[in-house]
Amino acid sequence: MATAKPPEPFLSRTWDYITDTQLWKSVFRHGVPSTNRNRVLVVMTNVFLHLHPVKIRKSGIRLKFTWCMGGLTFFLFLVETFTGLLLMFYYRPTVAYAYMDIIDLAEQVPLGIMRELHRWGAHAMVISVWLHMFRVFMTGSYKPPREFNWNVGVILLVLTLLLSFTGYLLPWDQLALWAVTVGTNMMGYTPVFGSQVKFVLLGSSEISNDTLLRWYTLHVLLLPFVIVIFMAVHFWRVRKDGGLSGPL
Ligand code: HEM
């Protein structure tokens, strides 16, 4: 004689009911990540997780090999973006206010925390991007098929230095003014178009409010926008080149 099936516990039936609804299935397109197939699906169907490869070679991410300098550079870029955004709430890019606003941000805010984080973060990012390039060079990771990504990297390096240099003028102190005077004078020696290049950089014939506004816009908008695009290409390319080169 067949025995009757014991009724399923209430919670388990409710769970089954919920996970069977159209709403649930439209959001979660895979089961619990307890099998390899589901783990892959979890990564591939999530907008944030899919930025990472599903599988990587263990050797390719050894700290000894990468020094994590590329990752650190990216992390510092995020720090700069966040602290820079907070600074934008206070800093006014005009000759009348710029200098005082920076003094206030450094002295009125406890430890001048946002300004110092932004400043030291910028120095650290310049150092880490050089170290990253050095490691890529020393491990021969610029060789085919990664030569294209090396070139994208060179553009990233230039953009990082430009971000650093455009930020230099913003405190509008003596150091900033003279550094930019020297820099733009040097660029004024560009063959053929020297005076035009200098004029475009200064926004007038000498350092003025126009220069400050121009460099501010480059620093907070144009250069970050361009660098993000190149970073996306850089990271995508690491994947398409077969992941990190890994120890030989
Ligand atoms: C804003 C600047 C940059 C960021 C955020 C960045 C980020 C990264 C990250 C996260 C990786 C993965 C491996 C790792 O962490 O070492 C990587 C790999 C790589 N980067 Fe960069 N990078 C930058 C600049 C550069 C520069 C200046 C170069 C060279 C001129 C370069 C060339 C490469 C190459 C060839 C790889 C592949 C390395 C391999 O397969 O072992 N990158 N980058």
Side-chain angles (χ1 to χ4, degrees):
M1 198 175 75
T3 48
K5 234 171 117 189
E8 286 190 46
F10 172 73
L11 275 180
S12 136
R13 266 186 296 130
T14 315
W15 176 250
D16 286 348
Y17 177 78
I18 294 174
T19 53
D20 205 34
T21 57
Q22 185 64 28
L23 178 67
W24 180 274
K25 285 191 203 157
S26 70
V27 180
F28 303 102
R29 286 154 194 251
H30 48 75
V32 179
S34 52
T35 63
N36 267 351
R37 185 175 180 279
N38 273 349
R39 284 190 201 110
V40 170
L41 284 173
V42 168
V43 174
M44 283 175 43
T45 55
N46 180 291
V47 70
F48 298 109
L49 293 181
H50 99 279
L51 298 175
H52 300 91
V54 170
K55 283 184 185 170
I56 42 169
R57 263 178 286 134
K58 210 171 173 184
S59 57
I61 50 156
R62 279 215 340 242
L63 200 59
K64 220 169 112 192
F65 183 75
T66 63
W67 304 344
C68 198
M69 275 304 146
L72 189 65
T73 308
F74 180 57
F75 171 73
L76 287 167
F77 176 73
L78 295 181
V79 170
E80 290 305 279
T81 308
F82 178 67
T83 52
L85 203 76
L86 291 179
L87 291 177
M88 281 174 77
F89 281 115
Y90 298 97
Y91 174 82
R92 289 163 290 181
T94 63
V95 171
Y97 295 114
Y99 179 69
M100 284 318 294
D101 284 354
I102 294 287
I103 299 279
D104 279 352
L105 279 162
E107 290 179 3
Q108 304 303 323
V109 179
L111 300 177
I113 189 82
M114 280 309 143
R115 200 255 162 149
E116 295 307 333
L117 276 179
H118 197 73
R119 207 162 74 103
W120 287 102
H123 294 325
M125 187 175 164
V126 170
I127 294 170
S128 68
V129 74
W130 280 115
L131 287 176
H132 172 58
M133 189 174 173
F134 179 66
R135 152 349 243 172
V136 170
F137 179 73
M138 293 310 280
T139 54
S141 308
Y142 53 83
K143 292 179 194 164
R146 298 182 173 78
E147 68 275 45
F148 175 79
N149 218 11
W150 171 268
N151 287 299
V152 175
V154 172
I155 295 173
L156 284 173
L157 174 73
V158 172
L159 288 168
T160 307
L161 297 178
L162 283 175
L163 270 168
S164 184
F165 194 54
T166 48
Y168 214 75
L169 181 65
L170 307 186
W172 203 249
D173 53 10
Q174 286 294 313
L175 189 64
L177 291 177
W178 291 112
V180 172
T181 304
V182 172
T184 49
N185 276 344
M186 281 165 68
M187 285 180 243
Y189 286 103
T190 307
V192 189
F193 304 109
S195 52
Q196 284 85 348
V197 169
K198 193 173 165 190
F199 189 83
V200 168
L201 288 171
L202 292 177
S204 62
S205 49
E206 56 183 16
I207 295 189
S208 63
N209 216 11
D210 299 319
T211 324
L212 185 55
L213 186 59
R214 199 160 278 215
W215 287 44
Y216 177 75
T217 312
L218 283 171
H219 187 74
V220 305
L221 207 74
L222 191 70
L223 291 171
F225 181 72
V226 177
I227 205 171
V228 163
I229 293 176
F230 276 92
M231 275 186 193
V233 175
H234 196 58
F235 299 156
W236 173 81
R237 196 69 203 200
V238 169
R239 301 255 305 259
K240 295 296 157 190
D241 290 341
L244 292 188
S245 53
L248 300 172

